[in-house]
Amino acid sequence: MENYPLKPENMRAPQNLTREEIQQSLNELDHKIKTLKGRANATTADSNNTYHEHIAGLEKKRALIASKMDTTEDTHSKWQDLQDGINGLKKDLDNMFS
């Protein structure tokens, strides 16, 4: 456990999550952060692994995952726009040849 990367800059977000999985991850991280904040006062002053560092790491990971939620929405929107454009072209072609 000594090698566990507690520093926020070492945090990574999982790749290829669905919107539902992203929301579930955010909810789980919120719960973990809340629990750790509740325990933060119990940490000894000279401890190498403090709750505050762990909280900071989880908050960084939460921010990374939350940014994926925005990216997922943007990607879905772009695909929807593309599909709408193709459907519009198809409709125009049908109108031309009918």
Side-chain angles (χ1 to χ4, degrees), residues 7-36:
K7 296 181 180 177
E9 58 270 13
N10 292 337
M11 287 295 162
R12 294 176 293 157
Q15 301 295 321
N16 303 323
L17 296 176
T18 64
R19 183 169 170 74
E20 293 79 24
E21 291 170 333
I22 291 171
Q23 187 60 52
Q24 181 181 358
S25 294
L26 292 174
N27 292 340
E28 289 174 3
L29 285 169
D30 285 340
H31 180 72
K32 288 178 182 179
I33 291 168
K34 183 179 177 183
T35 300
L36 288 171

Side-chain angles (χ1 to χ4, degrees), residues 55-74:
I55 291 168
L58 291 178
E59 286 174 342
K60 173 68 175 182
K61 185 174 185 176
R62 188 190 185 294
L64 291 170
I65 292 174
S67 71
K68 289 187 176 293
M69 175 87 73
D70 297 337
T71 304
T72 303
E73 289 175 0
D74 291 344

